Amino acid sequence: MAGTSQRPDDLEIARQVIAEEAAGLAALARGLDGGFTAALDAIRAAPGRVIVSGMGKSGHIARKIAATLASTGTPASFVHPAEASHGDLGMISRGDVVLVLSNSGETPELADLVAHTRRFGIPLIGVAARPKSTLMTQADIAIVLPDQPEACGIGVVPTTSTTMTLALGDALAIALMRGRGFTAEDFRAFHPGGKLGARLAQVRDLMHGAAELPLVALDAPMTDALLAITGAGFGVVGVTDAQGGLAGIVTDGDLRRHMEGLLDHAAGEVMTPAPRTIRPDALAAEALAQMNARKITCLFVVDEEDAARRPLGILHIHDCLRAGVA
């Protein structure tokens, strides 16, 4: 902002913080061992959910990890350790696996939750920087965070430690996701709303179906074609052959090119043959990109495995824009 003074070392401090946290991430990647793979195996074997818990800043990270796991196909929930001691332990049952985060491994609020897992034989994965801490010695599986300094300069503000823990959670979630062959379509099932859902929408989700298709036969008079164009409101009509396949389309441009004696022609004489089409399982974003690149407003939807190329629907550029596809 104009007029705002900046201390000469502000940018240097910022770069140092980022560099120290990056060093922590590099150390974390180098130090991953059998504890990480054992945690994956335990989660994959659990018929229930992953219960993620932590106190304070670790709790904020735990919430995010639980959300990332859930959105990538691994059922997960966050349980606050203090609330767990006042009834929420009932949310954790046999069949679940518990992932507990604590940089020190000695957070007192975790005691009841840890004891609950020991009492009922629920697998416990501990994540902490102190391998001999209470959490890590009680855990069935221990993932030790590297002994890296916090980036605050005074060694007490959770910075590097929380960044490493967050990245560890991402690594667990993505390893689980890839292991089960999780796809973009699966991801969309958990994200139907907002911009992300729009980006992953398929053509079949937005297209107008067979009942709304403007179609005429090859030998149809252009009077019929004009009525179909104006009646449907897409500015185009599809021209079908004897098998019902899409032989061509008639657009505004075709009408202008054949203006002289237009009504004396059949649709097959005016049409643009072999028009560009789109698959029903293609992303709507792909269809929008094609329409923008070719400066057209509609695409007929055709199953590429159908040798006859019978049209299944039609997608207008406005359908994409209304859905938030960009």
Side-chain angles (χ1 to χ4, degrees), residues 30-302:
R30 290 192 302 269
L32 289 179
D33 56 16
F36 182 83
T37 54
L40 290 175
D41 290 341
I43 294 171
R44 288 172 177 143
R49 297 170 301 156
V50 180
I51 304 298
V52 193
S53 189
M55 193 69 190
K57 303 299 186 293
S58 292
H60 295 305
I61 300 301
R63 287 181 186 274
K64 194 275 180 185
I65 292 174
T68 300
L69 287 168
S71 72
T72 52
T74 301
S77 299
F78 171 78
V79 171
H80 193 288
E83 296 296 335
S85 298
H86 294 275
D88 281 2
L89 285 175
M91 298 172 64
I92 307 170
S93 60
R94 291 186 177 91
D96 293 336
V97 58
V98 176
L99 174 64
V100 174
L101 317 177
S102 170
N103 190 47
S104 69
E106 298 292 351
T107 307
E109 290 87 351
L110 296 173
D112 289 339
L113 190 152
V114 170
H116 181 76
T117 66
R118 303 304 78 194
R119 178 183 177 188
F120 292 101
I122 299 169
L124 174 64
I125 303 168
V127 177
R130 299 177 184 176
K132 295 184 179 180
S133 62
T134 301
L135 171 62
M136 301 295 261
T137 55
Q138 290 294 317
D140 300 295
I141 300 165
I143 301 178
V144 181
L145 297 175
D147 184 15
Q148 293 289 120
E150 301 288 10
C152 60
I154 56 176
V156 294
V157 180
T159 47
T160 305
S161 60
T162 50
T163 298
M164 290 190 296
T165 308
L166 182 62
L168 178 66
D170 289 342
L172 287 168
I174 301 307
L176 291 163
M177 181 187 83
R178 291 185 180 178
R180 66 168 55 88
F182 197 81
T183 66
E185 179 59 24
D186 296 323
F187 193 70
R188 181 177 177 264
F190 298 116
H191 299 77
K195 192 69 173 177
L196 186 57
R199 284 179 56 195
L200 296 173
Q202 291 186 334
V203 168
R204 63 163 51 94
D205 299 322
L206 304 180
M207 73 180 190
H208 300 266
E212 299 179 65
L213 280 176
L215 299 172
V216 296
L218 279 167
D219 59 355
M222 279 306 298
T223 51
D224 290 353
L226 288 171
L227 288 172
I229 291 174
T230 56
F234 296 113
V236 64
V237 63
V239 183
T240 57
D241 57 25
Q243 289 73 43
L246 187 68
I249 58 171
V250 178
T251 67
D252 290 341
D254 296 316
L255 297 179
R256 288 192 295 271
R257 283 188 291 273
H258 295 82
M259 186 63 69
E260 187 176 350
L262 176 65
L263 298 183
D264 296 329
H265 290 287
E269 299 170 329
V270 176
M271 72 180 188
T272 297
R276 181 162 292 272
T277 59
I278 191 77
R279 308 181 321 277
D281 60 348
L283 291 180
E286 177 187 338
L288 180 62
Q290 286 195 33
M291 288 188 274
N292 284 332
R294 297 179 177 275
K295 296 180 172 57
I296 58 178
T297 58
C298 283
L299 284 171
F300 277 87
V301 183
V302 173

Side-chain angles (χ1 to χ4, degrees), residues 13-31:
I13 291 171
R15 292 187 180 108
Q16 181 180 354
V17 168
I18 293 170
E20 290 185 11
E21 295 198 4
L25 291 176
L28 174 66
R30 290 192 302 269

